[in-house]
Amino acid sequence: MPVIQGRTREQIRQHVGYALGALYVSAASETGAVGKNTLVDSSLVLGGNDNHIGKWIRFTSGSNDEEIRRVTDSTITDNKTTLAYMPASSAQTASESYELWDDAYNPSIIDDFINQSLISATGNAYDPIENIALHGDGKTTRFDIPSNISIINKIEYRDKITSTRIHACAATFDEKTDSDFTQSLDTQDKKQGTQSLKMVVAAGASAGDFVTDSITSKDLSQYNYIEMWVKSTVATSAGNLKLLLDDSASCASPLETLSIPALTADTWTFVRMQMANPETDTAIISVGLEYDADIGAATIWIDDIVAVANDTAEWETLPRRNWRIDKEARDLILTRDGQDTVGYHLMKIKGGDKPALLSSDDTATEVNENFVISNTVNLALIATSGGPATDPDAKRNLSAYWAAQAERARKALPFLVNARTVE
C-alpha cells in the first residue's frame, strides 16, 4: 500500500465538498432556540435572507453529531445568520460544529460515494495482513482461511523458535481433581504425540471449578507466549476456559491466569496467549485448566502446552507450488509435499483484506486519499450534472478532469505481486 495519511470520513467528505465548491464549514456561535430546530452563526454572512433555503446541515460535533437536516428558512439579523431546519433535533449548543452543503449535494450521498470509491479500489488496494491462526499437524491438508483474509501473497511456516514444553498432555491432571471432571487419555483424537488429555465435564460443574497437575519446576521468565491445542464439544467465548500457571502447588494463587480464546464446537483450535508477567514466572510447578463460565456439560481436549519466546521465531517460505486456494470453500489446501514441508509447525499467511468501508465520521481510510477524493468528486459531479440541456455548470466536463485524476491515483496504487484471491 502507498503511504497514506489515514484521513477520516469527515476529512475526506469536507475535501470533496471544497473541490465541488459546495461546502461551508463553521460552528454555531450561540445556542439554538425555538423548538430545537435553529442554528445561529455570526460568521455565516453569505448572501441575504432566504439565501440558504434547501441546503443541507451536517452536524459534526455535540449531541447532534452526524445528523443531517434540511434548511427551511434563513434570516440575517445584526450580522448573525439563523438557519431553521427540519426535522427538529436535540438542542443545538454554542460552538457545535457543522457543515453547510449546497442543495444539490446531500452529505449522506457523499458518504455513500466515498464508500463506493473504496469498493472500486478493491482489486487494486488491500489492507496488509499477517495472520498466524493456522498450525500444521502433519495430517491436515485443508484449512479454513481466516475471514479477514481476501488475498494471499505468501505462506510461511515457523521453522525454529525458542520454546519449552510445559505439559505434553500425556498424563491426566491428578494434583487437584474435581468430581465433575472425568479425565482420560485419548489415543485417537490428538494433535501431538500419541495421545491428548480428554476431560468430560459434567452438567453439575460450576464456574470456577478447575483441575491441576504438578510439573517439574520451569523457569518461564524468558518466554512471553503460551501455545496449546484445545477442542470442546460446546462453543465457547474467550475466557470461558482458562489456563493457570503457578509457583505454588495446585495453582493456589496463579501467577498467570490466561484466557483461552473463543472455540468453535468440535474443532481443534491452536491458541496463543500472551503471558501477563513472565518476569515472575521463574519456578512454575503447577498447571491447571479452569472452567470459568458455566457452559453446561462439555467434553474438552487439550494437547501440547508450550511456552515460546515469540521474537525468536524463524520463518521459511512454503513454495507456491505446494499450496492452492479453494475459493468456493474459502480453504487453504496443501499438497502432499506442502503437508510434509509444513509438518508440525505454525503457519503464517501474508496477504490482505478488502479495504474497510467507512461507517462513521471518525473511521479512517485504508486506501490512498487522492484516489478516494478524486473518484468521489467525479461520482458527485456525474450524479448532479443532468443532460446537456440541464448542465449549465459543465459538471460533466469537470467530471472528466476528476475521473482522470482518480485514474492517475489508481495507477499509483502498488502492483499486487504473487497475489491469489480468496473469493
Side-chain angles (χ1 to χ4, degrees):
M1 295 277 294
V3 176
I4 63 174
Q5 300 296 322
R7 301 183 75 185
T8 64
R9 184 177 73 176
E10 179 179 327
Q11 292 171 323
I12 292 172
R13 184 179 62 248
Q14 290 181 1
H15 193 114
V16 168
Y18 294 143
L20 292 169
L23 174 64
Y24 175 83
V25 176
S26 187
S29 56
E30 48 185 86
T31 300
V34 189
K36 301 179 181 179
N37 65 335
T38 61
L39 184 154
V40 181
D41 187 351
S42 60
S43 64
L44 178 59
V45 292
L46 303 175
N49 290 334
D50 301 332
N51 192 62
H52 302 294
I53 293 176
K55 292 185 177 181
W56 301 91
I57 294 173
R58 170 66 174 253
F59 290 103
T60 53
S61 70
S63 58
N64 299 310
D65 190 23
E66 298 195 21
E67 290 187 4
I68 297 173
R69 297 293 185 263
R70 196 76 183 264
V71 177
T72 57
D73 190 26
S74 65
T75 58
I76 298 179
T77 304
D78 297 329
N79 292 322
K80 292 188 295 186
T81 299
T82 299
L83 302 177
Y85 56 83
M86 289 295 293
S89 65
S90 300
Q92 177 273 316
T93 58
S95 76
E96 195 166 291
S97 58
Y98 71 97
E99 301 167 357
L100 183 64
W101 287 80
D102 287 356
D103 58 352
Y105 300 103
N106 185 330
S108 67
I109 295 177
I110 300 298
D111 286 345
D112 187 70
F113 285 159
I114 290 172
N115 277 338
Q116 184 59 45
S117 297
L118 294 172
I119 291 171
S120 69
T122 302
N124 299 104
Y126 288 89
D127 183 30
I129 288 177
E130 289 188 1
N131 184 285
I132 53 174
L134 305 181
H135 195 290
D137 59 7
K139 298 174 291 185
T140 303
T141 59
R142 183 179 284 264
F143 299 85
D144 291 334
I145 296 173
S147 60
N148 64 335
I149 299 288
S150 298
I151 63 163
I152 298 177
N153 301 102
K154 183 188 293 187
I155 302 293
E156 297 179 343
Y157 60 95
R158 191 175 64 187
D159 186 49
K160 297 176 183 177
I161 192 168
T162 301
S163 64
T164 183
R165 178 169 284 133
I166 297 173
H167 204 292
C169 299
T172 57
F173 282 17
D174 59 6
E175 180 186 36
K176 178 188 181 303
T177 60
D178 187 292
S179 60
D180 290 314
F181 287 67
T182 302
Q183 302 183 57
S184 62
L185 299 179
D186 193 332
T187 59
Q188 300 300 313
D189 198 357
K190 60 188 188 299
K191 279 296 182 179
Q192 182 275 333
T194 58
Q195 61 270 303
S196 65
L197 176 54
K198 178 180 179 181
M199 301 183 185
V200 179
V201 183
S206 302
D209 289 349
F210 64 96
V211 294
T212 72
D213 198 22
S214 60
I215 60 172
T216 302
S217 181
K218 291 274 187 181
D219 182 356
L220 304 183
S221 60
Q222 302 305 308
Y223 305 93
N224 55 355
Y225 276 84
I226 302 297
E227 300 179 345
M228 63 186 293
W229 289 95
V230 190
K231 178 181 175 181
S232 170
T233 55
V234 175
T236 67
S237 300
N240 285 170
L241 302 174
K242 287 185 167 63
L243 184 76
L244 310 177
L245 299 173
D246 202 358
D247 59 359
S248 57
S250 302
C251 290
S253 54
L255 294 178
E256 300 282 354
T257 301
L258 304 175
S259 293
I260 293 176
L263 304 174
T264 301
D266 298 316
T267 302
W268 276 107
T269 304
F270 184 78
V271 301
R272 305 177 77 245
M273 300 161 289
Q274 187 169 9
M275 299 160 69
N277 303 290
E279 66 279 359
T280 66
D281 303 336
T282 57
I284 300 299
I285 61 171
S286 183
V287 58
L289 182 73
E290 182 178 350
Y291 180 87
D292 198 51
D294 190 353
I295 58 175
T299 300
I300 301 165
W301 290 259
I302 61 175
D303 205 355
D304 197 24
I305 306 172
V306 176
V308 302
N310 193 58
D311 292 340
T312 66
E314 297 180 19
W315 300 86
E316 298 291 338
T317 299
L318 182 66
R320 292 175 63 81
R321 65 178 180 276
N322 288 338
W323 60 274
R324 63 184 179 87
I325 296 172
D326 180 344
K327 293 185 179 181
E328 184 174 355
R330 281 189 56 88
D331 282 349
L332 169 68
I333 300 176
L334 303 183
T335 65
R336 178 62 62 183
D337 286 344
Q339 176 185 320
D340 292 341
T341 300
V342 170
Y344 187 78
H345 292 106
L346 184 66
M347 290 188 286
K348 179 190 291 184
I349 297 177
K350 288 188 172 182
D353 191 13
K354 294 176 181 176
L357 302 184
L358 306 186
S359 57
S360 64
D361 274 3
D362 59 357
T363 53
T365 180
E366 297 169 345
V367 175
N368 183 279
E369 294 90 341
N370 287 336
F371 170 76
V372 178
I373 292 168
S374 299
N375 200 67
T376 302
V377 173
N378 177 47
L379 292 174
L381 288 169
I382 289 293
T384 58
S385 65
T390 57
D391 187 19
D393 297 322
K395 290 182 178 180
R396 286 189 175 271
N397 290 336
L398 188 57
S399 74
Y401 166 80
W402 286 102
Q405 292 293 100
E407 189 59 29
R408 187 176 295 111
R410 186 194 297 273
K411 290 179 179 178
L413 297 174
F415 183 74
L416 299 179
V417 179
N418 293 327
R420 295 181 181 177
T421 57
V422 173
E423 54 191 11

